[in-house]
Amino acid sequence: MLRRAVGGYKRGSFSQLWLHRRCIHTNVIDTLRARHFVQAVTSEAITKRVETPIAVYCGVDPTASSLHLGNMVTLMGLLHFSLAGHQAIPLVGNATGSIGDPSGRNTERIALDHKELAKNVAGIEAQLIRFFSRGTQYALSRIPNLDPSLLKPVRVLHNADWYTGLGVLDFLGTVGRHARVGTMMARDSVKSRLQSVHGISFTEFSYQLLQAYDFWHLYHFHKCHVQIGGSDQWGNITAGTDLIHRMHGPQSDKSEAFGLTIPLLTTASGEKFGKSAGNAIWLDETRTSPFDIYQFFVKTADSDVERFLKMFTLLPLPRIAQIIDEHARAPHSFIAQKLLATEVTELIHGPQGVQQALCATQVLFGNRQTLEEHKFTSDDFDAAFRCDQRMVKVASANVVGKSVADIAVLLGSCKSKSEATRLAKGGGLYWNGSVVVDSKWVPSVEKGDFVGDGTVGVVRTGKTNYRLLKLLDS
């Protein structure tokens, strides 16, 4: 569509028309810099190169069945390229994933068997498709004048497609003859492992050649000129640009390849996030619920919130500046954190994910008034707590006429009715956010004592022990 629309325009005119039609007046590299996405680039010429549409890729090895926030930072960078009209290519490393990248690791990865690898590949591919689909829908509601008809469909590829049938001799003849051992040894990921007790295996030492070949293949067959990745991928990315330059000749127009690295996700205190750090926030809602995503970001430190708003949302920068200014005047209201949590939850899980997160938040941290104000339905509660063992479903016939003490025991909130009585006398027993002073009180659907279309009762004992009663038709 783009080629037909601009017909015989020269490259410079093409750039101007393309930017005009999309109503975008900033270069995507400038956008990424303003949002703290750029750690380093292999050449500043990348800024001019992206003035016309190109293909850009980032790779994800399927070492787990789900992506996490560390992956999301790089995917957000790729999303910005996609929204600027470029061809985004997320690459699933179902071939390289069986070996493992040594970057940022002290020990060799445990090899995955074929069954686990296939499961991980399926999970990662589904998430990539979902992320870019939701990301585009999210963008349309945040970026003024964004024309979806000019966006190119994201292409999820698998590197096993070009390694299958490629023999060792062919690989060495094609890639090995252009690799220089001294350069390979000098890469940080290799040097740090050579100095460790465990050393590095030839398998992991060769990983950089495989990623380099990925870049060459995408460059040669898919006209992909840019690879992006985390800052720990600098050595692997430059291995790819070096291979392209050597195979095409450094002075050739055909060797126009660029790399861009993105800072690894850390807090202002330097704490890392991710699977290797042991504190991963997963994008799979069965592993990290929308509520937990929301809670993670709503607890963001003041020193991190502006940077996270720029990196994890598509809110215009002037809007972010306005929010930060409002937050500075009333930090106790957590305006910036609440906005950040809502935006990221919607980007990852869609508007329904936000509804689930807010429902769970009000149940666990709100009171009766806030529960009633939000008017959460029975389905909202089901969605928000469907993977949560704190919700207990009971036939309504088994609850009618039961006291709150009986219900507390039924839900496991209290071990006995006498314990419930003691808690009520001490002000430590709650029903839907309100203090229960009489443990013999009987909640009634007819009197409006249940929320969620008259089907849900929330019992809290102490400050943090919650149980939900969901009434089922008898």
Side-chain angles (χ1 to χ4, degrees):
M1 180 188 299
L2 283 173
R3 288 193 182 93
R4 286 197 299 270
V6 297
Y9 284 87
K10 296 180 180 179
R11 180 168 173 171
S13 299
F14 179 93
S15 174
Q16 294 174 2
L17 178 63
W18 177 54
L19 291 175
H20 174 73
R21 288 190 69 194
R22 295 197 65 255
C23 299
I24 289 179
H25 306 290
T26 56
N27 185 290
V28 65
I29 300 298
D30 295 334
T31 297
L32 293 175
R33 291 187 191 279
R35 289 180 176 268
H36 308 292
F37 276 100
V38 180
Q39 177 87 9
V41 293
T42 55
S43 170
E44 291 298 334
I46 188 177
T47 303
K48 183 171 181 60
R49 182 63 185 88
V50 300
E51 289 178 355
T52 53
I54 57 174
V56 185
Y57 100 94
C58 72
V60 180
D61 275 350
T63 54
S65 61
S66 173
L67 301 167
H68 52 74
L69 282 187
N71 302 125
M72 184 177 168
V73 176
T74 306
L75 293 178
M76 285 297 294
L78 193 60
L79 180 61
H80 277 287
F81 274 100
S82 177
L83 296 173
H86 301 288
Q87 175 65 68
I89 303 176
L91 177 66
V92 181
N94 52 339
T96 47
S98 62
I99 293 175
D101 183 0
S103 302
R105 293 185 60 86
N106 298 320
T107 59
E108 188 165 357
R109 295 181 186 273
I110 299 174
L112 301 175
D113 60 40
H114 292 297
K115 184 177 180 181
E116 185 175 6
L117 182 62
K119 176 185 175 183
N120 291 353
V121 168
I124 294 296
E125 180 176 11
Q127 281 192 343
L128 287 171
I129 294 171
R130 188 163 54 246
F131 175 81
F132 283 98
S133 174
R134 285 177 175 166
T136 301
Q137 292 301 313
Y138 169 80
L140 290 172
S141 65
R142 301 303 191 279
I143 302 177
N145 303 314
L146 180 62
D147 186 349
S149 68
L150 299 182
L151 303 183
K152 299 180 180 179
V154 173
R155 300 179 62 190
V156 179
L157 300 180
H158 303 78
N159 63 5
D161 291 345
W162 48 86
Y163 284 111
T164 301
L166 179 64
V168 174
L169 294 180
D170 290 333
F171 182 80
L172 291 176
T174 302
V175 180
R177 70 174 63 256
H178 295 288
R180 294 296 175 263
V181 174
T183 303
M184 294 174 67
M185 296 278 286
R187 303 205 190 282
D188 290 339
S189 60
V190 174
K191 286 196 299 183
S192 62
R193 288 288 295 277
L194 287 173
Q195 296 169 1
S196 70
V197 176
H198 301 284
I200 187 171
S201 68
F202 178 74
T203 301
E204 287 196 316
F205 177 67
S206 304
Y207 183 93
Q208 57 185 289
L209 296 183
L210 298 174
Q211 187 165 328
Y213 184 71
D214 285 344
F215 197 178
W216 177 86
H217 181 94
L218 292 170
Y219 177 91
H220 186 74
F221 292 101
H222 297 274
K223 296 180 172 53
C224 179
H225 287 264
V226 177
Q227 180 184 177
I228 66 174
S231 58
D232 59 346
Q233 292 295 305
W234 178 256
N236 294 335
I237 292 174
T238 54
T241 57
D242 289 347
L243 178 63
I244 292 169
H245 293 160
R246 289 179 180 275
M247 292 184 71
H248 289 286
Q251 304 305 320
S252 171
D253 291 339
K254 293 182 179 180
S255 63
E256 192 180 41
F258 303 93
L260 181 152
T261 57
I262 298 172
L264 297 180
L265 179 61
T266 61
T267 65
S269 63
E271 182 184 5
K272 293 182 179 180
F273 293 99
K275 182 162 54 65
S276 299
N279 57 354
I281 303 297
W282 303 98
L283 305 193
D284 184 344
E285 64 179 8
T286 64
R287 302 181 71 168
T288 302
S289 69
F291 165 74
D292 290 323
I293 289 279
Y294 182 92
Q295 287 300 312
F296 173 82
F297 280 102
V298 86
K299 295 175 183 176
T300 299
D302 287 346
S303 53
D304 292 316
V305 70
E306 181 177 7
R307 178 165 56 94
F308 283 8
L309 277 168
K310 292 178 178 179
M311 296 185 75
F312 286 105
T313 82
L314 296 177
L315 292 172
L317 295 180
R319 171 63 175 152
I320 292 175
Q322 177 188 1
I323 288 297
I324 293 302
D325 183 57
E326 293 177 11
H327 175 73
R329 293 197 297 269
H332 59 280
S333 298
F334 300 102
I335 297 172
Q337 283 88 345
K338 290 177 180 177
L339 177 62
L340 172 65
T342 300
E343 294 289 312
V344 179
T345 304
E346 180 175 343
L347 175 58
I348 297 174
H349 295 297
Q352 69 277 12
V354 176
Q355 182 74 353
Q356 293 172 26
L358 292 177
C359 177
T361 298
Q362 292 305 322
V363 167
L364 300 180
F365 303 112
N367 51 43
R368 183 181 181 87
Q369 180 180 352
T370 57
L371 280 174
E372 292 177 344
E373 286 176 352
H374 281 83
K375 300 185 184 301
F376 294 116
T377 66
S378 177
D379 290 341
D380 290 333
F381 282 96
D382 275 339
F385 292 94
R386 67 173 176 269
C387 299
D388 197 321
Q389 295 182 348
R390 288 175 296 188
M391 174 178 275
V392 180
K393 297 182 178 182
V394 181
S396 57
N398 296 331
V399 178
V400 173
K402 297 282 188 181
S403 69
V404 68
D406 291 322
I407 294 174
V409 174
L410 176 66
L411 298 180
S413 298
C414 297
K415 294 181 180 179
S416 63
K417 293 173 63 175
S418 59
E419 180 185 356
T421 301
R422 288 195 301 272
L423 283 171
K425 290 181 178 179
L429 181 63
Y430 296 79
W431 175 267
N432 288 343
S434 298
V435 177
V436 176
V437 295
D438 183 3
S439 62
K440 296 181 180 179
W441 172 69
V442 177
S444 170
V445 173
E446 289 74 17
K447 294 180 179 179
D449 296 324
F450 288 78
V451 293
D453 302 327
T455 64
V456 178
V458 183
V459 174
R460 173 161 70 92
T461 55
K463 293 184 178 180
T464 59
N465 183 21
Y466 292 85
R467 293 289 189 278
L468 281 77
L469 169 67
K470 177 67 185 297
L471 299 180
L472 302 177
D473 293 334
S474 301

